[in-house]
Amino acid sequence: MSENLTLALFVTAAVTVGIVVVALVGVLIDRIFTGQERAGGL
Amino acid sequence: MIDFLLWIENLSFSAFLRESSSLLSFPIFLYVHTLGMSILVGSAAIICFALLGLWPKGAPVRPLERFYPLLWFGLAIEVVTGVSIFMKDASTYGRNPDFWVKLVFVFVGVALLVMMRKRVFRNPQIDSGLVPRQGKMLAWASLVCWFGAIVAGRLIAYLQPVPGDF
């Protein structure tokens, strides 16, 4: 496998894992605090 | 301390991020912060998973060290956008204990990544396909830190004080 393909696969997998984790945590916490106005997190 | 935070908050850049309705103010900074987090945490997670055994059998783990610059790229995005977002409501975020909890998770997470590089990826034992026990412990600790940083970061929006309170 070429180095560029490896890099592309790694970046794709990394960003996918990152987005899924960040989104899941966000949705879960939003559900726990349902109804409470949120002001934006860091 | 509060005077310094208020001074930061009253800078024109902070006011722009806080008050502008443009998509190129707070929304784009928050979006890029989330994207940077995905790059940083996603890359760290994949390296940790590989050290914990979620990696094709027989495939070397050492080449993953080449992806550290990607981690630092994600971290740089986080620092620039994170500091900018902090400036927007410095006096509020600065008084929020959850914000400091997040920072501790981030600092420890970065320290663990540096330790992992020095003690695991530069350990000759890794060429034999065996990840040292210390490497697995570092990987677990790193996963806990990054997960903690994401959870603490999200909770900043809900735990007092939140922007707008005083």
Side-chain angles (χ1 to χ4, degrees), chain A residues 3 7 10-11 13-14 18-19 21-22 25 29-30 33 36 38-42, chain B residues 30 34 37-38 42-43 46 64 66-67 85 93 99 102 147 150 153-155 157-158:
Chain A
E3 195 166 314
L7 179 65
F10 182 88
V11 173
I19 287 174
V21 173
V22 171
V25 169
I29 291 176
D30 282 352
F33 290 87
Q36 184 175 324
R38 70 165 188 260
L42 281 183
Chain B
L30 190 59
T34 311
M37 194 186 302
S38 301
S43 306
I46 287 190
L64 285 174
R66 286 198 320 234
F67 297 115
I85 296 170
Y93 291 134
F99 170 76
K102 175 188 171 170
F147 186 73
I150 293 174
R154 199 68 203 92
L155 284 176
Y158 297 98

PDB file of all heavy atoms in Angstrom, chain A residues 3 7 10-11 13-14 18-19 21-22 25 29-30 33 36 38-42, chain B residues 30 34 37-38 42-43 46 64 66-67 85 93 99 102 147 150 153-155 157-158:
ATOM      1  N   GLU A   3       2.329   4.996   0.535  1.00  0.00           N
ATOM      2  CA  GLU A   3       2.338   5.827   1.736  1.00  0.00           C
ATOM      3  C   GLU A   3       1.179   6.835   1.727  1.00  0.00           C
ATOM      4  O   GLU A   3       0.544   7.092   2.741  1.00  0.00           O
ATOM      5  CB  GLU A   3       3.673   6.551   1.813  1.00  0.00           C
ATOM      6  CG  GLU A   3       3.928   7.152   3.180  1.00  0.00           C
ATOM      7  CD  GLU A   3       5.382   7.564   3.330  1.00  0.00           C
ATOM      8  OE1 GLU A   3       6.278   6.777   2.962  1.00  0.00           O
ATOM      9  OE2 GLU A   3       5.599   8.680   3.790  1.00  0.00           O
ATOM     10  N   LEU A   7      -1.809   7.257   4.448  1.00  0.00           N
ATOM     11  CA  LEU A   7      -2.074   8.532   5.112  1.00  0.00           C
ATOM     12  C   LEU A   7      -3.545   8.923   4.939  1.00  0.00           C
ATOM     13  O   LEU A   7      -4.216   9.321   5.892  1.00  0.00           O
ATOM     14  CB  LEU A   7      -1.158   9.624   4.538  1.00  0.00           C
ATOM     15  CG  LEU A   7      -1.343  11.014   5.132  1.00  0.00           C
ATOM     16  CD1 LEU A   7      -0.955  11.020   6.609  1.00  0.00           C
ATOM     17  CD2 LEU A   7      -0.508  12.041   4.387  1.00  0.00           C
ATOM     18  N   PHE A  10      -5.729   6.764   7.083  1.00  0.00           N
ATOM     19  CA  PHE A  10      -5.588   7.104   8.499  1.00  0.00           C
ATOM     20  C   PHE A  10      -6.362   8.379   8.823  1.00  0.00           C
ATOM     21  O   PHE A  10      -7.106   8.439   9.800  1.00  0.00           O
ATOM     22  CB  PHE A  10      -4.113   7.273   8.869  1.00  0.00           C
ATOM     23  CG  PHE A  10      -3.903   7.575  10.329  1.00  0.00           C
ATOM     24  CD1 PHE A  10      -3.768   6.550  11.247  1.00  0.00           C
ATOM     25  CD2 PHE A  10      -3.875   8.884  10.776  1.00  0.00           C
ATOM     26  CE1 PHE A  10      -3.596   6.823  12.600  1.00  0.00           C
ATOM     27  CE2 PHE A  10      -3.707   9.165  12.127  1.00  0.00           C
ATOM     28  CZ  PHE A  10      -3.564   8.138  13.035  1.00  0.00           C
ATOM     29  N   VAL A  11      -6.180   9.397   7.973  1.00  0.00           N
ATOM     30  CA  VAL A  11      -6.843  10.682   8.240  1.00  0.00           C
ATOM     31  C   VAL A  11      -8.360  10.504   8.192  1.00  0.00           C
ATOM     32  O   VAL A  11      -9.095  11.002   9.059  1.00  0.00           O
ATOM     33  CB  VAL A  11      -6.395  11.749   7.222  1.00  0.00           C
ATOM     34  CG1 VAL A  11      -7.200  13.034   7.393  1.00  0.00           C
ATOM     35  CG2 VAL A  11      -4.913  12.049   7.394  1.00  0.00           C
ATOM     36  N   ALA A  13     -10.108   7.740   8.711  1.00  0.00           N
ATOM     37  CA  ALA A  13     -10.555   6.985   9.887  1.00  0.00           C
ATOM     38  C   ALA A  13     -10.514   7.854  11.135  1.00  0.00           C
ATOM     39  O   ALA A  13     -11.446   7.849  11.947  1.00  0.00           O
ATOM     40  CB  ALA A  13      -9.674   5.755  10.066  1.00  0.00           C
ATOM     41  N   ALA A  14      -9.430   8.627  11.274  1.00  0.00           N
ATOM     42  CA  ALA A  14      -9.267   9.458  12.470  1.00  0.00           C
ATOM     43  C   ALA A  14     -10.380  10.492  12.572  1.00  0.00           C
ATOM     44  O   ALA A  14     -11.026  10.626  13.616  1.00  0.00           O
ATOM     45  CB  ALA A  14      -7.905  10.144  12.442  1.00  0.00           C
ATOM     46  N   GLY A  18     -13.310  10.694  15.315  1.00  0.00           N
ATOM     47  CA  GLY A  18     -13.426  11.934  16.086  1.00  0.00           C
ATOM     48  C   GLY A  18     -14.811  12.535  15.994  1.00  0.00           C
ATOM     49  O   GLY A  18     -15.426  12.870  17.010  1.00  0.00           O
ATOM     50  N   ILE A  19     -15.325  12.645  14.771  1.00  0.00           N
ATOM     51  CA  ILE A  19     -16.641  13.270  14.589  1.00  0.00           C
ATOM     52  C   ILE A  19     -17.724  12.433  15.277  1.00  0.00           C
ATOM     53  O   ILE A  19     -18.610  12.974  15.950  1.00  0.00           O
ATOM     54  CB  ILE A  19     -16.951  13.449  13.080  1.00  0.00           C
ATOM     55  CG1 ILE A  19     -16.091  14.579  12.517  1.00  0.00           C
ATOM     56  CG2 ILE A  19     -18.430  13.746  12.860  1.00  0.00           C
ATOM     57  CD1 ILE A  19     -16.190  14.758  11.024  1.00  0.00           C
ATOM     58  N   VAL A  21     -17.424  10.373  17.849  1.00  0.00           N
ATOM     59  CA  VAL A  21     -17.326  10.483  19.316  1.00  0.00           C
ATOM     60  C   VAL A  21     -17.845  11.847  19.789  1.00  0.00           C
ATOM     61  O   VAL A  21     -18.664  11.934  20.705  1.00  0.00           O
ATOM     62  CB  VAL A  21     -15.865  10.267  19.788  1.00  0.00           C
ATOM     63  CG1 VAL A  21     -15.736  10.551  21.280  1.00  0.00           C
ATOM     64  CG2 VAL A  21     -15.415   8.842  19.500  1.00  0.00           C
ATOM     65  N   VAL A  22     -17.386  12.909  19.125  1.00  0.00           N
ATOM     66  CA  VAL A  22     -17.801  14.261  19.526  1.00  0.00           C
ATOM     67  C   VAL A  22     -19.317  14.408  19.392  1.00  0.00           C
ATOM     68  O   VAL A  22     -19.996  14.931  20.289  1.00  0.00           O
ATOM     69  CB  VAL A  22     -17.071  15.327  18.671  1.00  0.00           C
ATOM     70  CG1 VAL A  22     -17.654  16.712  18.911  1.00  0.00           C
ATOM     71  CG2 VAL A  22     -15.577  15.335  18.998  1.00  0.00           C
ATOM     72  N   VAL A  25     -21.212  12.251  22.126  1.00  0.00           N
ATOM     73  CA  VAL A  25     -21.133  12.898  23.442  1.00  0.00           C
ATOM     74  C   VAL A  25     -22.064  14.114  23.471  1.00  0.00           C
ATOM     75  O   VAL A  25     -22.809  14.324  24.427  1.00  0.00           O
ATOM     76  CB  VAL A  25     -19.677  13.330  23.766  1.00  0.00           C
ATOM     77  CG1 VAL A  25     -19.629  14.219  24.994  1.00  0.00           C
ATOM     78  CG2 VAL A  25     -18.803  12.104  23.977  1.00  0.00           C
ATOM     79  N   ILE A  29     -25.269  14.405  26.018  1.00  0.00           N
ATOM     80  CA  ILE A  29     -25.341  15.468  27.032  1.00  0.00           C
ATOM     81  C   ILE A  29     -26.540  16.369  26.771  1.00  0.00           C
ATOM     82  O   ILE A  29     -27.241  16.772  27.699  1.00  0.00           O
ATOM     83  CB  ILE A  29     -24.015  16.259  27.068  1.00  0.00           C
ATOM     84  CG1 ILE A  29     -22.919  15.352  27.627  1.00  0.00           C
ATOM     85  CG2 ILE A  29     -24.140  17.513  27.926  1.00  0.00           C
ATOM     86  CD1 ILE A  29     -21.540  15.952  27.628  1.00  0.00           C
ATOM     87  N   ASP A  30     -26.822  16.649  25.504  1.00  0.00           N
ATOM     88  CA  ASP A  30     -28.001  17.459  25.183  1.00  0.00           C
ATOM     89  C   ASP A  30     -29.276  16.783  25.685  1.00  0.00           C
ATOM     90  O   ASP A  30     -30.194  17.421  26.179  1.00  0.00           O
ATOM     91  CB  ASP A  30     -28.101  17.696  23.679  1.00  0.00           C
ATOM     92  CG  ASP A  30     -27.137  18.784  23.219  1.00  0.00           C
ATOM     93  OD1 ASP A  30     -26.530  19.423  24.085  1.00  0.00           O
ATOM     94  OD2 ASP A  30     -27.000  18.988  21.999  1.00  0.00           O
ATOM     95  N   PHE A  33     -29.647  17.065  29.443  1.00  0.00           N
ATOM     96  CA  PHE A  33     -30.041  18.414  29.851  1.00  0.00           C
ATOM     97  C   PHE A  33     -31.213  18.938  29.029  1.00  0.00           C
ATOM     98  O   PHE A  33     -31.342  20.132  28.833  1.00  0.00           O
ATOM     99  CB  PHE A  33     -28.860  19.380  29.734  1.00  0.00           C
ATOM    100  CG  PHE A  33     -27.787  19.146  30.752  1.00  0.00           C
ATOM    101  CD1 PHE A  33     -26.778  18.254  30.512  1.00  0.00           C
ATOM    102  CD2 PHE A  33     -27.805  19.818  31.961  1.00  0.00           C
ATOM    103  CE1 PHE A  33     -25.783  18.028  31.451  1.00  0.00           C
ATOM    104  CE2 PHE A  33     -26.816  19.598  32.908  1.00  0.00           C
ATOM    105  CZ  PHE A  33     -25.800  18.698  32.656  1.00  0.00           C
ATOM    106  N   GLN A  36     -33.093  22.519  28.982  1.00  0.00           N
ATOM    107  CA  GLN A  36     -32.294  23.606  29.552  1.00  0.00           C
ATOM    108  C   GLN A  36     -31.631  24.378  28.432  1.00  0.00           C
ATOM    109  O   GLN A  36     -31.024  23.780  27.538  1.00  0.00           O
ATOM    110  CB  GLN A  36     -31.236  23.036  30.500  1.00  0.00           C
ATOM    111  CG  GLN A  36     -30.455  24.119  31.198  1.00  0.00           C
ATOM    112  CD  GLN A  36     -29.503  23.517  32.234  1.00  0.00           C
ATOM    113  OE1 GLN A  36     -29.830  22.536  32.875  1.00  0.00           O
ATOM    114  NE2 GLN A  36     -28.335  24.113  32.390  1.00  0.00           N
ATOM    115  N   ARG A  38     -28.995  26.166  26.331  1.00  0.00           N
ATOM    116  CA  ARG A  38     -27.543  26.043  26.359  1.00  0.00           C
ATOM    117  C   ARG A  38     -26.897  27.277  25.731  1.00  0.00           C
ATOM    118  O   ARG A  38     -27.450  27.915  24.860  1.00  0.00           O
ATOM    119  CB  ARG A  38     -27.088  24.779  25.625  1.00  0.00           C
ATOM    120  CG  ARG A  38     -27.265  24.788  24.129  1.00  0.00           C
ATOM    121  CD  ARG A  38     -26.441  23.649  23.537  1.00  0.00           C
ATOM    122  NE  ARG A  38     -26.437  23.736  22.102  1.00  0.00           N
ATOM    123  CZ  ARG A  38     -27.222  23.005  21.332  1.00  0.00           C
ATOM    124  NH1 ARG A  38     -28.080  22.163  21.857  1.00  0.00           N
ATOM    125  NH2 ARG A  38     -27.155  23.129  20.022  1.00  0.00           N
ATOM    126  N   ALA A  39     -25.719  27.570  26.226  1.00  0.00           N
ATOM    127  CA  ALA A  39     -25.090  28.817  25.822  1.00  0.00           C
ATOM    128  C   ALA A  39     -23.815  28.606  25.016  1.00  0.00           C
ATOM    129  O   ALA A  39     -23.079  29.530  24.768  1.00  0.00           O
ATOM    130  CB  ALA A  39     -24.804  29.648  27.057  1.00  0.00           C
ATOM    131  N   GLY A  40     -23.545  27.382  24.621  1.00  0.00           N
ATOM    132  CA  GLY A  40     -22.347  27.116  23.816  1.00  0.00           C
ATOM    133  C   GLY A  40     -21.195  26.655  24.672  1.00  0.00           C
ATOM    134  O   GLY A  40     -20.828  27.327  25.623  1.00  0.00           O
ATOM    135  N   GLY A  41     -20.637  25.500  24.325  1.00  0.00           N
ATOM    136  CA  GLY A  41     -19.490  24.963  25.068  1.00  0.00           C
ATOM    137  C   GLY A  41     -18.234  25.172  24.291  1.00  0.00           C
ATOM    138  O   GLY A  41     -18.264  25.589  23.130  1.00  0.00           O
ATOM    139  N   LEU A  42     -17.115  24.893  24.916  1.00  0.00           N
ATOM    140  CA  LEU A  42     -15.831  25.031  24.232  1.00  0.00           C
ATOM    141  C   LEU A  42     -15.412  23.675  23.707  1.00  0.00           C
ATOM    142  O   LEU A  42     -15.448  22.724  24.436  1.00  0.00           O
ATOM    143  CB  LEU A  42     -14.769  25.525  25.200  1.00  0.00           C
ATOM    144  CG  LEU A  42     -14.741  26.993  25.519  1.00  0.00           C
ATOM    145  CD1 LEU A  42     -13.592  27.305  26.440  1.00  0.00           C
ATOM    146  CD2 LEU A  42     -14.587  27.817  24.259  1.00  0.00           C
TER     147      LEU A  42
ATOM    148  N   LEU B  30     -16.367  28.001  16.332  1.00  0.00           N
ATOM    149  CA  LEU B  30     -16.853  26.807  17.036  1.00  0.00           C
ATOM    150  C   LEU B  30     -16.805  25.590  16.106  1.00  0.00           C
ATOM    151  O   LEU B  30     -16.428  24.489  16.512  1.00  0.00           O
ATOM    152  CB  LEU B  30     -18.278  27.040  17.551  1.00  0.00           C
ATOM    153  CG  LEU B  30     -18.823  25.976  18.493  1.00  0.00           C
ATOM    154  CD1 LEU B  30     -17.948  25.834  19.736  1.00  0.00           C
ATOM    155  CD2 LEU B  30     -20.252  26.284  18.902  1.00  0.00           C
ATOM    156  N   THR B  34     -14.500  22.256  16.619  1.00  0.00           N
ATOM    157  CA  THR B  34     -15.030  20.885  16.630  1.00  0.00           C
ATOM    158  C   THR B  34     -14.280  20.015  15.626  1.00  0.00           C
ATOM    159  O   THR B  34     -13.962  18.853  15.903  1.00  0.00           O
ATOM    160  CB  THR B  34     -16.540  20.896  16.289  1.00  0.00           C
ATOM    161  OG1 THR B  34     -17.173  21.863  17.108  1.00  0.00           O
ATOM    162  CG2 THR B  34     -17.171  19.546  16.533  1.00  0.00           C
ATOM    163  N   MET B  37     -10.924  19.217  16.975  1.00  0.00           N
ATOM    164  CA  MET B  37     -11.071  18.210  18.030  1.00  0.00           C
ATOM    165  C   MET B  37     -11.204  16.817  17.424  1.00  0.00           C
ATOM    166  O   MET B  37     -10.639  15.838  17.921  1.00  0.00           O
ATOM    167  CB  MET B  37     -12.321  18.552  18.848  1.00  0.00           C
ATOM    168  CG  MET B  37     -12.445  17.819  20.158  1.00  0.00           C
ATOM    169  SD  MET B  37     -14.039  18.173  20.925  1.00  0.00           S
ATOM    170  CE  MET B  37     -13.978  19.947  21.072  1.00  0.00           C
ATOM    171  N   SER B  38     -11.944  16.756  16.320  1.00  0.00           N
ATOM    172  CA  SER B  38     -12.122  15.467  15.647  1.00  0.00           C
ATOM    173  C   SER B  38     -10.787  14.945  15.123  1.00  0.00           C
ATOM    174  O   SER B  38     -10.491  13.748  15.232  1.00  0.00           O
ATOM    175  CB  SER B  38     -13.107  15.596  14.485  1.00  0.00           C
ATOM    176  OG  SER B  38     -14.339  16.057  14.959  1.00  0.00           O
ATOM    177  N   GLY B  42      -9.561  11.955  17.210  1.00  0.00           N
ATOM    178  CA  GLY B  42      -9.668  10.789  16.326  1.00  0.00           C
ATOM    179  C   GLY B  42      -8.309  10.154  16.077  1.00  0.00           C
ATOM    180  O   GLY B  42      -8.161   8.924  16.154  1.00  0.00           O
ATOM    181  N   SER B  43      -7.298  10.962  15.790  1.00  0.00           N
ATOM    182  CA  SER B  43      -5.952  10.429  15.557  1.00  0.00           C
ATOM    183  C   SER B  43      -5.411   9.765  16.818  1.00  0.00           C
ATOM    184  O   SER B  43      -4.846   8.666  16.766  1.00  0.00           O
ATOM    185  CB  SER B  43      -4.990  11.542  15.137  1.00  0.00           C
ATOM    186  OG  SER B  43      -5.489  12.236  14.030  1.00  0.00           O
ATOM    187  N   ILE B  46      -7.149   6.404  17.379  1.00  0.00           N
ATOM    188  CA  ILE B  46      -6.717   5.312  16.501  1.00  0.00           C
ATOM    189  C   ILE B  46      -5.349   4.785  16.937  1.00  0.00           C
ATOM    190  O   ILE B  46      -5.121   3.571  16.968  1.00  0.00           O
ATOM    191  CB  ILE B  46      -6.713   5.779  15.036  1.00  0.00           C
ATOM    192  CG1 ILE B  46      -8.169   5.896  14.588  1.00  0.00           C
ATOM    193  CG2 ILE B  46      -5.960   4.801  14.147  1.00  0.00           C
ATOM    194  CD1 ILE B  46      -8.377   6.110  13.147  1.00  0.00           C
ATOM    195  N   LEU B  64       2.854   4.170  12.867  1.00  0.00           N
ATOM    196  CA  LEU B  64       1.828   5.125  13.326  1.00  0.00           C
ATOM    197  C   LEU B  64       2.463   6.392  13.902  1.00  0.00           C
ATOM    198  O   LEU B  64       1.813   7.426  13.977  1.00  0.00           O
ATOM    199  CB  LEU B  64       0.939   4.472  14.389  1.00  0.00           C
ATOM    200  CG  LEU B  64      -0.087   3.458  13.873  1.00  0.00           C
ATOM    201  CD1 LEU B  64      -0.795   2.791  15.035  1.00  0.00           C
ATOM    202  CD2 LEU B  64      -1.109   4.145  12.976  1.00  0.00           C
ATOM    203  N   ARG B  66       4.432   8.219  12.526  1.00  0.00           N
ATOM    204  CA  ARG B  66       4.493   9.251  11.476  1.00  0.00           C
ATOM    205  C   ARG B  66       3.284  10.168  11.490  1.00  0.00           C
ATOM    206  O   ARG B  66       3.271  11.222  10.869  1.00  0.00           O
ATOM    207  CB  ARG B  66       4.577   8.573  10.105  1.00  0.00           C
ATOM    208  CG  ARG B  66       5.921   7.962   9.804  1.00  0.00           C
ATOM    209  CD  ARG B  66       6.030   7.723   8.319  1.00  0.00           C
ATOM    210  NE  ARG B  66       4.760   7.234   7.791  1.00  0.00           N
ATOM    211  CZ  ARG B  66       4.616   6.118   7.089  1.00  0.00           C
ATOM    212  NH1 ARG B  66       5.654   5.398   6.816  1.00  0.00           N
ATOM    213  NH2 ARG B  66       3.447   5.742   6.626  1.00  0.00           N
ATOM    214  N   PHE B  67       2.219   9.737  12.190  1.00  0.00           N
ATOM    215  CA  PHE B  67       1.003  10.548  12.199  1.00  0.00           C
ATOM    216  C   PHE B  67       0.981  11.567  13.338  1.00  0.00           C
ATOM    217  O   PHE B  67       0.013  12.306  13.481  1.00  0.00           O
ATOM    218  CB  PHE B  67      -0.231   9.647  12.257  1.00  0.00           C
ATOM    219  CG  PHE B  67      -0.346   8.778  11.047  1.00  0.00           C
ATOM    220  CD1 PHE B  67      -0.245   7.409  11.155  1.00  0.00           C
ATOM    221  CD2 PHE B  67      -0.512   9.334   9.795  1.00  0.00           C
ATOM    222  CE1 PHE B  67      -0.324   6.605  10.033  1.00  0.00           C
ATOM    223  CE2 PHE B  67      -0.581   8.542   8.667  1.00  0.00           C
ATOM    224  CZ  PHE B  67      -0.489   7.169   8.777  1.00  0.00           C
ATOM    225  N   ILE B  85     -12.328  31.521  21.358  1.00  0.00           N
ATOM    226  CA  ILE B  85     -13.662  31.352  21.958  1.00  0.00           C
ATOM    227  C   ILE B  85     -13.616  31.752  23.438  1.00  0.00           C
ATOM    228  O   ILE B  85     -14.546  32.360  23.959  1.00  0.00           O
ATOM    229  CB  ILE B  85     -14.163  29.902  21.777  1.00  0.00           C
ATOM    230  CG1 ILE B  85     -14.351  29.591  20.290  1.00  0.00           C
ATOM    231  CG2 ILE B  85     -15.477  29.688  22.517  1.00  0.00           C
ATOM    232  CD1 ILE B  85     -14.620  28.137  19.981  1.00  0.00           C
ATOM    233  N   TYR B  93     -16.064  32.046  31.340  1.00  0.00           N
ATOM    234  CA  TYR B  93     -15.364  30.761  31.250  1.00  0.00           C
ATOM    235  C   TYR B  93     -14.301  30.647  32.344  1.00  0.00           C
ATOM    236  O   TYR B  93     -14.079  29.576  32.892  1.00  0.00           O
ATOM    237  CB  TYR B  93     -14.704  30.611  29.876  1.00  0.00           C
ATOM    238  CG  TYR B  93     -15.677  30.443  28.731  1.00  0.00           C
ATOM    239  CD1 TYR B  93     -15.534  31.167  27.544  1.00  0.00           C
ATOM    240  CD2 TYR B  93     -16.741  29.546  28.808  1.00  0.00           C
ATOM    241  CE1 TYR B  93     -16.423  31.014  26.480  1.00  0.00           C
ATOM    242  CE2 TYR B  93     -17.630  29.389  27.765  1.00  0.00           C
ATOM    243  CZ  TYR B  93     -17.466  30.127  26.597  1.00  0.00           C
ATOM    244  OH  TYR B  93     -18.341  29.986  25.560  1.00  0.00           O
ATOM    245  N   PHE B  99     -14.526  24.380  32.998  1.00  0.00           N
ATOM    246  CA  PHE B  99     -13.562  24.788  31.972  1.00  0.00           C
ATOM    247  C   PHE B  99     -12.143  24.370  32.372  1.00  0.00           C
ATOM    248  O   PHE B  99     -11.374  23.872  31.553  1.00  0.00           O
ATOM    249  CB  PHE B  99     -13.637  26.314  31.766  1.00  0.00           C
ATOM    250  CG  PHE B  99     -12.531  26.852  30.909  1.00  0.00           C
ATOM    251  CD1 PHE B  99     -12.563  26.687  29.531  1.00  0.00           C
ATOM    252  CD2 PHE B  99     -11.444  27.507  31.476  1.00  0.00           C
ATOM    253  CE1 PHE B  99     -11.526  27.164  28.743  1.00  0.00           C
ATOM    254  CE2 PHE B  99     -10.414  27.989  30.690  1.00  0.00           C
ATOM    255  CZ  PHE B  99     -10.454  27.820  29.318  1.00  0.00           C
ATOM    256  N   LYS B 102     -11.624  20.719  32.009  1.00  0.00           N
ATOM    257  CA  LYS B 102     -11.333  20.377  30.611  1.00  0.00           C
ATOM    258  C   LYS B 102      -9.859  20.636  30.298  1.00  0.00           C
ATOM    259  O   LYS B 102      -9.199  19.815  29.662  1.00  0.00           O
ATOM    260  CB  LYS B 102     -12.224  21.191  29.667  1.00  0.00           C
ATOM    261  CG  LYS B 102     -11.852  20.944  28.214  1.00  0.00           C
ATOM    262  CD  LYS B 102     -12.556  21.858  27.236  1.00  0.00           C
ATOM    263  CE  LYS B 102     -11.940  21.676  25.866  1.00  0.00           C
ATOM    264  NZ  LYS B 102     -12.663  22.321  24.799  1.00  0.00           N
ATOM    265  N   PHE B 147     -11.615  11.546  26.157  1.00  0.00           N
ATOM    266  CA  PHE B 147     -13.062  11.434  26.353  1.00  0.00           C
ATOM    267  C   PHE B 147     -13.502  12.439  27.428  1.00  0.00           C
ATOM    268  O   PHE B 147     -14.506  13.138  27.266  1.00  0.00           O
ATOM    269  CB  PHE B 147     -13.427   9.996  26.762  1.00  0.00           C
ATOM    270  CG  PHE B 147     -14.906   9.764  26.843  1.00  0.00           C
ATOM    271  CD1 PHE B 147     -15.670   9.672  25.685  1.00  0.00           C
ATOM    272  CD2 PHE B 147     -15.536   9.644  28.071  1.00  0.00           C
ATOM    273  CE1 PHE B 147     -17.037   9.475  25.762  1.00  0.00           C
ATOM    274  CE2 PHE B 147     -16.904   9.443  28.153  1.00  0.00           C
ATOM    275  CZ  PHE B 147     -17.660   9.352  26.998  1.00  0.00           C
ATOM    276  N   ILE B 150     -13.665  15.959  26.012  1.00  0.00           N
ATOM    277  CA  ILE B 150     -14.854  16.212  25.182  1.00  0.00           C
ATOM    278  C   ILE B 150     -16.084  16.406  26.067  1.00  0.00           C
ATOM    279  O   ILE B 150     -16.868  17.348  25.875  1.00  0.00           O
ATOM    280  CB  ILE B 150     -15.090  15.042  24.197  1.00  0.00           C
ATOM    281  CG1 ILE B 150     -13.968  14.992  23.165  1.00  0.00           C
ATOM    282  CG2 ILE B 150     -16.434  15.182  23.501  1.00  0.00           C
ATOM    283  CD1 ILE B 150     -14.051  13.787  22.253  1.00  0.00           C
ATOM    284  N   GLY B 153     -15.831  19.649  27.952  1.00  0.00           N
ATOM    285  CA  GLY B 153     -16.022  20.759  27.012  1.00  0.00           C
ATOM    286  C   GLY B 153     -17.480  20.974  26.686  1.00  0.00           C
ATOM    287  O   GLY B 153     -17.966  22.112  26.631  1.00  0.00           O
ATOM    288  N   ARG B 154     -18.209  19.893  26.505  1.00  0.00           N
ATOM    289  CA  ARG B 154     -19.633  20.026  26.174  1.00  0.00           C
ATOM    290  C   ARG B 154     -20.422  20.535  27.372  1.00  0.00           C
ATOM    291  O   ARG B 154     -21.381  21.281  27.227  1.00  0.00           O
ATOM    292  CB  ARG B 154     -20.177  18.664  25.705  1.00  0.00           C
ATOM    293  CG  ARG B 154     -21.452  18.743  24.916  1.00  0.00           C
ATOM    294  CD  ARG B 154     -21.224  19.397  23.569  1.00  0.00           C
ATOM    295  NE  ARG B 154     -22.451  19.972  23.021  1.00  0.00           N
ATOM    296  CZ  ARG B 154     -22.823  21.226  23.224  1.00  0.00           C
ATOM    297  NH1 ARG B 154     -22.078  22.036  23.944  1.00  0.00           N
ATOM    298  NH2 ARG B 154     -23.936  21.690  22.693  1.00  0.00           N
ATOM    299  N   LEU B 155     -20.006  20.082  28.563  1.00  0.00           N
ATOM    300  CA  LEU B 155     -20.742  20.469  29.781  1.00  0.00           C
ATOM    301  C   LEU B 155     -20.562  21.950  30.119  1.00  0.00           C
ATOM    302  O   LEU B 155     -21.349  22.499  30.878  1.00  0.00           O
ATOM    303  CB  LEU B 155     -20.283  19.610  30.965  1.00  0.00           C
ATOM    304  CG  LEU B 155     -20.824  18.179  30.999  1.00  0.00           C
ATOM    305  CD1 LEU B 155     -20.214  17.411  32.162  1.00  0.00           C
ATOM    306  CD2 LEU B 155     -22.345  18.167  31.110  1.00  0.00           C
ATOM    307  N   ALA B 157     -21.309  24.292  28.426  1.00  0.00           N
ATOM    308  CA  ALA B 157     -22.507  24.997  27.965  1.00  0.00           C
ATOM    309  C   ALA B 157     -23.641  24.920  28.977  1.00  0.00           C
ATOM    310  O   ALA B 157     -24.607  25.670  28.883  1.00  0.00           O
ATOM    311  CB  ALA B 157     -22.966  24.407  26.636  1.00  0.00           C
ATOM    312  N   TYR B 158     -23.543  23.988  29.929  1.00  0.00           N
ATOM    313  CA  TYR B 158     -24.672  23.759  30.832  1.00  0.00           C
ATOM    314  C   TYR B 158     -24.385  24.076  32.294  1.00  0.00           C
ATOM    315  O   TYR B 158     -25.289  24.354  33.056  1.00  0.00           O
ATOM    316  CB  TYR B 158     -25.105  22.287  30.749  1.00  0.00           C
ATOM    317  CG  TYR B 158     -25.596  21.897  29.394  1.00  0.00           C
ATOM    318  CD1 TYR B 158     -24.764  21.260  28.482  1.00  0.00           C
ATOM    319  CD2 TYR B 158     -26.911  22.180  29.009  1.00  0.00           C
ATOM    320  CE1 TYR B 158     -25.211  20.904  27.231  1.00  0.00           C
ATOM    321  CE2 TYR B 158     -27.365  21.821  27.757  1.00  0.00           C
ATOM    322  CZ  TYR B 158     -26.504  21.189  26.875  1.00  0.00           C
ATOM    323  OH  TYR B 158     -26.957  20.846  25.633  1.00  0.00           O
TER     324      TYR B 158
END
